[in-house]
Amino acid sequence: MRRPLVAPSILSADFANLGQAVDDIAASGADWIHVDVMDGNFVPPITFGAKMVEDLRGRAALPFDVHLMTRAPENLVPAFAAAGADYITFHLEAAVHAHRVLQNIRGLGKKAGVSIVPSTPAGALSCLLPFVDLVLVMTVNPGYGGQTCITECFSKIEYLARLRTEQKLDFLLSVDGGINESTARGAAAAGADVLVTGSAFFGAADRAAFVERLRG
Ligand code: DX5
Ligand code: ZN
């Protein structure tokens, strides 16, 4: 089994000190910075706009993994691409023309990701798999950090990993929601390449040790 990448989410950081949060993620040895963008519509809270990514971008050389939990994601893609996002992931449930959005993201030179909430079957992604760089399987209902992982969703990761092998594709499988030291093992065993972690990372006393333990 490959060692998974660890992507701490700044959603669980102190919003008055986000620059410090990015520094802390880099210092911990984690692999990516996960940025949860919420619009107050697809999900109730409102978090960050593109300027936040632009202003934080210079703080770390790590890839910025932008997770759009927004309606009409196509409207936001150009601004986040210009702001320096490396991966831009949107929700299948929020896009009318998901294939077009993926093409737009790749057309801007960025890695294109698509995400599904716990109630969406993984099979809904089958037509899109040849066109994605990342699939983000949510293991909580989006909107809030600190929720309990719905481990039943791990079977979707297994299914997508199987399709990836069968179809000789090479997208990354990311898992997001309630990932901590007790749930990471199951997610990685199911085939997750990227572990997003918010509250567990920022709640850890020794973040570098936490990242190492999460990798397994
Ligand atoms: C939830 C976000 C997640 C969240 C993860 O809507 O997409 O990235 O921040 O936080 P934890 O690890 O606390 O579930
Ligand atoms: Zn997220």
Side-chain angles (χ1 to χ4, degrees):
M1 199 163 75
R2 283 176 299 175
R3 291 192 97 198
L5 302 174
V6 176
S9 165
I10 58 170
L11 180 66
S12 296
D14 173 2
F15 280 21
N17 290 298
L18 284 172
Q20 183 63 48
V22 168
D23 295 349
D24 290 350
I25 292 171
S28 76
D31 302 284
W32 290 4
I33 313 261
H34 186 83
V35 182
D36 285 308
V37 176
M38 304 186 185
D39 66 350
N41 189 344
F42 182 67
V43 291
I46 298 176
T47 57
F48 320 110
K51 185 171 189 301
M52 190 64 79
V53 168
E54 189 182 337
D55 290 352
L56 292 173
R57 191 67 192 84
R59 306 276 299 221
L62 300 180
F64 271 56
D65 176 34
V66 171
H67 177 192
L68 298 178
M69 284 160 278
T70 70
R71 293 207 187 277
E74 62 278 8
N75 294 342
L76 293 173
V77 163
F80 279 95
D86 296 279
Y87 283 81
I88 301 178
T89 297
F90 63 93
H91 271 269
L92 181 67
E93 302 86 1
V96 178
H97 300 292
H99 178 266
R100 180 183 291 156
V101 184
L102 291 166
Q103 283 185 311
N104 289 346
I105 297 169
R106 282 185 162 180
L108 291 165
K110 305 299 179 179
K111 301 282 191 190
V114 65
S115 181
I116 51 173
V117 302
S119 59
T120 299
L125 293 171
S126 59
C127 297
L128 294 176
L129 296 180
F131 309 100
V132 300
D133 299 299
L134 178 144
V135 173
L136 189 159
V137 174
M138 289 221 64
T139 44
V140 298
N141 290 293
Y144 307 95
Q147 302 182 75
T148 302
C149 181
I150 304 166
T151 53
E152 286 80 356
C153 295
F154 290 168
S155 60
K156 293 198 257 185
I157 301 173
E158 278 173 26
Y159 169 79
L160 291 164
R162 196 161 60 242
L163 288 190
R164 178 173 64 183
T165 304
E166 285 168 10
Q167 298 175 23
K168 299 186 170 50
L169 299 170
D170 66 356
F171 55 84
L172 292 172
L173 276 164
S174 180
V175 62
D176 186 4
I179 298 301
N180 54 37
E181 288 179 57
S182 21
T183 54
R185 223 49 339 97
D193 307 292
V194 183
L195 305 173
V196 176
T197 172
S199 51
F201 175 84
F202 282 99
D206 181 340
R207 291 169 181 165
F210 170 80
V211 166
E212 255 320 290
R213 285 197 300 274
L214 216 60
R215 289 188 180 121

